[in-house]
Each structure stands twice: as structure tokens, then as C-alpha cells.
């Protein structure tokens, strides 16, 4: 499984993904699920993947390959004029990969499925995030739905629902995401550190920050162990239920 | 969907279940999922159900009917000598119901499936809790795994993992369960109040407490709204992540 979240804040976009991949509990490894297609001064695009690893790797390879073949007739993620067109391109490429793996229709297509979060900003447009389904169609973040999750989404959702605010600072958004990821890791073996992070401020096309938070990162450790204590104190601050 | 939790504390057992049942979002209703088979002075048995409603209702009806037919050769949940035998009886009755609904084997059996938590104490034995699978087999709580969840279990698991302690008071255990249920309700439409509760102290066969917590229960409201605030304060108490 996988856990990836993309948040749209007032000040910009934040993405975080885990790196564990597994086919059964006796076959697991660490693999990158976050990819960027940035053009300095012009566009920041971040893509995160969940689902069948063969499908998602083929998707990324195709998208990358087509940015190099200048005279190819295939469309190129680095030259799409808007984020909407980027999402359409990723969706159609995803459908292309799945139909190649699963020529026998809907049923086997499920097994080769994948979900994608793609977000970013292209100069002249607004920063935005899309969630793309295996069928190639997609939905966009809005004021009411300012974040998307893919993969093992349930454990980490309650804290996002309760504590997300669109005017969070980047550091506080990362703290919130780390708590959401840590809750998932503590409950589910198929999600694990290190966590990949990318973030950028609106209209800053040269300042994208890309980093990886390791399991032994001291600040992550502080947040993880502090969260257990803070939760217990939060619980203590509420009245007991009297029967 | 459904959400039910059974906890074994040092001082006794606590059970909580939601009451929402649905077949699609346009067809939902409130139904009881907690049932007790208590004999004053001799046994407390609580049973909670998740899964196909026709299956679980038939299971409960069969178990109840067989407690009335004194000369029936079918075994009776009120006369089983141990909790282990109670779990075996519930498991075999569950399998009987599913195989009656799904004579065509594994595949349709899935659709008629159900999961059961059954716990309690019979005089002379220890209080314990079992989780029963649709196949009729089951597992028991232990020091390492002191609670079971069935139904929509993921949203409410992180807080249980972090804050459960075997020496909790009943009032604090109910508070913890309400936070776990409230986190689920806030994230998933298929789980909803009112919540049914049953609890009893070890070796007290006359003091079982059975109650229902309504959505407008003032103490539940306080815990629900207070939890949102307490979580934000808990998050504020941690350091931001600096990139």
C-alpha cells in the first residue's frame, strides 16, 4: 500500500508521500512515489502515485520519455499550457498503460489500477491539485475539499479533517502531515518512512523545496513521540463519560 | 457499514457499537447491533455484529430461538459452560446462516458475510472477548491485543493504539471510545450515532450496565467538540517541521 497527501494552502502547495511498497508482507521494499516535472521560472509540477507498481513506473517512464523526444507527436508534460491539460495528459497516459497491461477488460484492469495526485502551478495559472482515477478522469481541489489522499487514507484522515486550515504555515502543514503519516504508520505495516516532501510558494517558480524525511530524523522523532503524549493530555483534558 | 469495539480492561469489559445500517447512501436506517445474553448471578454475554444485515439478524434470531426451545437438540448460548464454547456456538451458527444464504460456495458466501465480536464472563471463568470470522473460526483477546474492532475500523484505530491502557476506569474508557467513534463518524457517512454501550465489572454478574448514547447527549457533545479543540492544542504544542 501507500500513503500520499497533497494540500493546497493559501501560500502554496505541499505534497508528502511514503516510500514503502509491498507485494505480500514477505516482499517489501522502499521506492520513490513522488516525481517532479519542474521548469525553473515557468512551472512546478509534482506527481504522486499509488497502486500497482508496474503501472505507476510505466506511467512515469512514459511521461519522462516523452519530454525528451522533441519531435514526437506525443504530448509533453513540460509543454502543456495549463494544469488542467497536465491532468488530462496524465489521465490519458495512465489509461494507456493500464489498457496495455490489461487487454481483457474491466476485471483485469482493476488489478493493474493506480491512482495519481498531480498538482502544481504553471506561470499565468493558479496553483491547483488533481486526483486522477484509473479510468483517466479526475477531480480538482476546491475551497471545500482542499486536500487529496491516495492509498491507505483512512487512519490519517481524522486529524486532517480536524486540524487542516488553509492559512497554515508550511512548517505547521508539514507537522500536521507528519502526524497524519505517523498515525498511519503506527496502524498499518504497508506504509512506512522515509517520507518524500515537496512544497512551493504560489508564484515562486524557482524556490521548490524537495526533501526526504528519514525515520531517524530528530524532528520527526520529536513530533512522533510528542504526539503520543500530547494525545493523552488532550484526552485527559476532556471529562470522563459517566454512566 | 458499522463500527463496533470491545475492550478488555483490568476491571472488566466494555463494548460500544454504532447503529447506522445502509445499502447505498440512499437507503439507510438505524438498527441495533449489540445484543446481550445475560443470566443474573451467572453470566454476562455481549454480542456485536458487522456485515450483511440479513445474515446478522438471522444469527441473532437463531441464537435467541434456541434459548427458548428447552428440548431442542440445538445447543443453547445460555447453557454453554465456558466463553470458548459460546464462541464456538456463535461461530458454527454464523456458518450455518451463511451457508444457508449462499449455497453456491465461496464467492457468494462473501456477499453474505458478517463478523462478530462476542465477549463476556461465565461464573468460574475469566472475562474475555472473541472476534469471529464468517468462516466460523475466531481469535481471542490477549495482553498484547486487548481490544477488537469490526466494521469501519481504520479511522478510529490510531487513538486506540495510542491511548488504550488496561487500567483505565470505565468512564475514561468510554471517553476514549467516544473519541474513536467520533473520529469515525466525522470521516465516514456509514457510521453514525446513537451508540449502544454495555459494560460490566469482572465477577459482578448482576451489575451489567446497558445504555444508549444519543447524538445530542450533552456529555458526548462536550467530548466531541472538546476533542477538536484539544487536538489543535496538542498539535500546537509540538514543534513545526523546518525545511
Amino acid at each position: 500500500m501507500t500513503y500520499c497527501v497533497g494540500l493546497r494552502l493559501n501560500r502554496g502547495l505541499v505534497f508528502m508521500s511514503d516510500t514503502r511498497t509491498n507485494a505480500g508482507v514477505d516482499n517489501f521494499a522502499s521506492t520513490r512515489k513522488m516525481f517532479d516535472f519542474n521548469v525553473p521560472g515557468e512551472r512546478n509540477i509534482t506527481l504522486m502515485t499509488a497502486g500497482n507498481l508496474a503501472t505507476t513506473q510505466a506511467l512515469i517512464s512514459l511521461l519522462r520519455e516523452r519530454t525528451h523526444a522533441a519531435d514526437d507527436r506525443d504530448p509533453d508534460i513540460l509543454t502543456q499550457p495549463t494544469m488542467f491539460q497536465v491532468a488530462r495528459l496524465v489521465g490519458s497516459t495512465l489509461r494507456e498503460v493500464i489498457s496495455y497491461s490489461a487487454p481483457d477488460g474491466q476485471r483485469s484492469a482493476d488489478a493493474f489500477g493506480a491512482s495519481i495526485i498531480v498538482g502544481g502551478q504553471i506561470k499565468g495559472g493558479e496553483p491547483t491539485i488533481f486526483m486522477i482515477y484509473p479510468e483517466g478522469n479526475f477531480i480538482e481541489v476546491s475551497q471545500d475539499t482542499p486536500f487529496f489522499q491516495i492509498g491507505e487514507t483512512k487512519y490519517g484522515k481524522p486529524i486532517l479533517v480536524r486540524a487542516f486550515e488553509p492559512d497554515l504555515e508550511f512548517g505547521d502543514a508539514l507537522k500536521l502531515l507528519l502526524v497524519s503519516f505517523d498515525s498511519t504508520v503506527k496502524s498499518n505495516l504497508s506504509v512506512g518512512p522515509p517520507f518524500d516532501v515537496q512544497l512551493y510558494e504560489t508564484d515562486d517558480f524557482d524556490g521548490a523545496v524537495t526533501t526526504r524525511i528519514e525515520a531517524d530524523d530528530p524532528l520527526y522523532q520529536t513530533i512522533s513521540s510528542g504526539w503520543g503524549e500530547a494525545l493523552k493530555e488532550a484526552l485527559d483534558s476532556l471529562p470522563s463519560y459517566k454512566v
Side-chain angles (χ1 to χ4, degrees), chain A:
Chain A
M1 223 24 184
T2 286
Y3 184 38
C4 304
V5 183
L7 302 179
R8 187 176 67 180
L9 305 172
N10 291 342
R11 70 188 62 242
L13 303 178
V14 184
F15 303 88
M16 191 179 287
S17 64
D18 88 315
T19 51
R20 184 162 294 174
T21 176
N22 73 308
V25 288
D26 56 350
N27 183 4
F28 70 99
S30 193
T31 195
R32 192 169 182 84
K33 302 167 191 175
M34 179 184 285
F35 307 90
D36 60 66
F37 296 86
N38 296 348
V39 178
E42 200 255 335
R43 67 181 61 204
N44 290 318
I45 298 174
T46 304
L47 198 151
M48 297 185 294
T49 63
N52 184 295
L53 187 60
T55 296
T56 59
Q57 289 192 345
L59 169 74
I60 299 299
S61 296
L62 270 182
L63 289 172
R64 285 216 189 284
E65 210 170 82
R66 288 172 183 171
T67 65
H68 299 313
D71 54 342
D72 198 325
R73 277 176 308 172
D74 288 316
D76 171 0
I77 196 169
L78 297 182
T79 59
Q80 295 299 306
T82 62
M83 283 304 297
F84 175 73
Q85 292 297 338
V86 167
R88 287 188 67 169
L89 172 62
V90 174
S92 66
T93 311
L94 177 61
R95 205 167 48 202
E96 176 189 340
V97 172
I98 294 177
S99 64
Y100 179 80
S101 304
D104 303 331
Q106 186 63 31
R107 177 144 187 171
S108 44
D110 274 0
F112 297 109
S115 300
I116 309 291
I117 289 176
V118 62
Q121 186 181 17
I122 294 174
K123 206 164 190 170
E126 294 292 311
T128 189
I129 305 176
F130 295 91
M131 181 158 78
I132 302 176
Y133 299 105
E135 291 77 8
N137 57 349
F138 49 83
I139 56 177
E140 185 175 5
V141 288
S142 63
Q143 281 301 102
D144 298 324
T145 307
F147 60 84
F148 286 135
Q149 306 168 284
I150 53 176
E152 195 60 77
T153 61
K154 295 185 178 185
Y155 304 104
K157 186 175 175 187
I159 183 68
L160 292 180
V161 169
R162 295 273 199 180
F164 176 85
E165 303 283 351
D167 59 356
L168 285 177
E169 304 281 339
F170 281 133
D172 289 337
L174 286 177
K175 173 170 69 174
L176 173 61
L177 284 174
L178 282 174
V179 167
S180 175
F181 272 68
D182 193 55
S183 298
T184 308
V185 167
K186 290 258 186 307
S187 296
N188 192 299
L189 286 179
S190 73
V191 177
F195 308 128
D196 285 314
V197 174
Q198 187 157 44
L199 56 87
Y200 25 84
E201 283 194 55
T202 302
D203 296 330
D204 177 358
F205 295 100
D206 297 298
V209 175
T210 305
T211 185
R212 172 167 277 197
I213 300 174
E214 300 287 344
D216 61 359
D217 181 286
L219 208 40
Y220 168 51
Q221 292 285 354
T222 305
I223 290 173
S224 172
S225 59
W227 183 241
E229 289 308 307
L231 266 192
K232 283 183 196 170
E233 279 166 32
L235 211 55
D236 284 345
S237 74
L238 298 178
S240 293
Y241 192 88
K242 288 184 186 46
V243 285

